[in-house]
Amino acid sequence: MFYSSSAAWQQASEKRVLLFGMSGLGKTYLSNMLRDAGGWFHYSVDYRIGTRYMGEYIADNFKREAMRVPLLRELLLSDSVMIASNITFENLAPLSTYLGKPGNPDKGGLPIDEYRARQEQHRVSEIAALMDTPHFVNRAKDLYGYDNFICDSGGSICEVVDPNDPNDPVLSTLSKNLLMVWIEGTEDHTEELIRRFDRAPKPMYYQPAFLNAAWDDYLAQTGATPEQVNPDAFVRWTYARALAHRQPRYADMAKNWGIKISADDVARVKSPEDFESLLAQTLEAHGK
């Protein structure tokens, strides 16, 4: 681990942390709190994906839709208007909208082959954005003078790495530069995440083998053809399975590459001092 002990963490003049775990358990809450309090540089992997690596895909998708409208088509062809994504740390809707959901196009779904292609674009982009982390650690210090660095990783980080491979290139790179911290939820948290997702289903990234199995199972259980699938119904049906699939992968990441803290403890963190104390206590317990 990047910090070998609680004492090493507390005495470090530069504190570097990567948070991972399911969306909705506190990664972005902690990252925003540390950034807003000052002294911490906030690196959002999803923001980096949506701006640096998938920004052109997203903008082109907007333009493709605009070209169907005669007035906008004329303006675009004459370079009279500009269409761009306004993605922010707090609003990643352009990225999730582009990623989309598979199924009936009349209900906003994508053909499964196109959906798989966009999933692959996301996989490649997420790996690249994660591998950019050390660059931003150095950039934050050299350019802006930040000694402390918080990386807010996407919920799908566990899908693009092999936590049980000691030579995994992404995890090897990250663990040499930051303390890897899993925010672990309870069964109650999982149930609440499922309820929240059911109210507002959102696109997400799935490991290819997992997606293929889920898609085939859903078609078999419902008897629907790919063109008949309700996109929201599919992602709702898949979400609980995705949580169950990811949980052991997160656990192995924490076991082999870092430490874990509970989502309940995260909810009690109100300041950078609380956060630093929580990690100090966790590292102390981890070393026993």
Side-chain angles (χ1 to χ4, degrees):
M1 286 191 299
F2 191 66
Y3 301 100
S4 58
S5 67
S6 177
W9 162 257
Q10 294 179 76
Q11 295 166 11
S13 59
E14 299 180 7
K15 292 180 167 58
R16 308 174 186 173
V17 178
L18 180 145
L19 301 173
F20 65 93
M22 280 304 301
S23 298
L25 293 181
K27 298 191 306 292
T28 301
Y29 162 72
L30 287 176
S31 299
N32 286 339
M33 182 271 294
L34 293 170
R35 182 193 68 216
D36 293 345
W40 286 77
F41 185 91
H42 177 189
Y43 177 62
S44 167
V45 170
D46 282 339
Y47 179 80
R48 179 69 168 169
I49 292 170
T51 52
R52 171 64 177 84
Y53 292 107
M54 295 188 71
E56 189 170 297
Y57 295 135
I58 293 168
D60 283 353
N61 194 47
F62 293 159
K63 293 172 184 176
R64 189 173 295 109
E65 294 298 317
M67 286 289 285
R68 298 176 182 177
V69 180
L71 174 62
L72 292 178
R73 175 185 174 84
E74 180 181 341
L75 292 172
L76 280 171
L77 291 175
S78 63
D79 290 327
S80 299
V81 296
M82 181 177 68
I83 295 178
S85 165
N86 189 28
I87 195 169
T88 67
F89 282 13
E90 290 74 26
N91 181 12
L92 297 166
L95 174 59
S96 61
T97 299
Y98 175 76
L99 198 59
K101 308 166 190 174
N104 189 335
D106 293 335
K107 296 183 178 180
L110 292 170
I112 188 61
D113 288 342
E114 174 63 21
Y115 181 72
R116 289 190 177 111
R118 296 188 186 192
Q119 290 271 304
E120 175 62 13
Q121 291 169 357
H122 191 281
R123 185 191 69 81
V124 172
S125 298
E126 183 163 9
I127 290 172
L130 288 165
M131 294 296 277
D132 282 345
T133 305
H135 166 70
F136 275 87
V137 169
N138 295 327
R139 187 170 183 254
K141 182 174 179 61
D142 295 343
L143 188 59
Y144 302 113
Y146 284 98
D147 292 324
N148 301 325
F149 186 95
I150 186 76
C151 176
D152 177 7
S153 71
S156 54
I157 183 175
C158 66
E159 307 281 20
V160 300
V161 299
D162 181 351
N164 293 305
D165 178 2
N167 298 312
D168 183 89
V170 176
L171 292 175
S172 295
T173 297
L174 294 174
S175 65
K176 289 175 183 175
N177 289 274
L178 309 96
L179 176 64
M180 307 277 289
V181 179
W182 176 32
I183 301 179
E184 180 185 23
T186 63
E187 289 185 7
D188 288 342
H189 288 118
T190 299
E191 291 174 3
E192 174 55 29
L193 290 176
I194 292 172
R195 285 194 293 270
R196 192 184 306 172
F197 190 88
D198 191 61
R199 291 193 296 269
K202 298 178 180 178
M204 58 189 294
Y205 172 79
Y206 308 104
Q207 202 175 61
F210 173 87
L211 172 61
N212 292 339
W215 182 250
D216 290 344
D217 288 350
Y218 187 81
L219 295 180
Q221 288 187 27
T222 62
T225 66
E227 295 76 19
Q228 294 171 335
V229 169
N230 182 307
D232 284 343
F234 172 74
V235 295
R236 284 191 179 102
W237 181 85
T238 306
Y239 185 69
R241 292 168 60 129
L243 293 186
H245 170 74
R246 289 181 175 183
Q247 191 74 1
R249 300 182 68 84
Y250 290 138
D252 285 343
M253 286 176 63
K255 176 184 176 183
N256 298 328
W257 300 91
I259 59 175
K260 67 177 179 180
I261 57 179
S262 74
D264 286 337
D265 285 340
V266 167
R268 289 188 283 269
V269 171
K270 304 301 179 185
S271 67
E273 293 74 22
D274 290 346
F275 177 69
E276 293 176 21
S277 177
L278 173 59
L279 294 196
Q281 295 168 19
T282 304
L283 284 164
E284 181 72 26
H286 186 270
K288 293 181 178 178

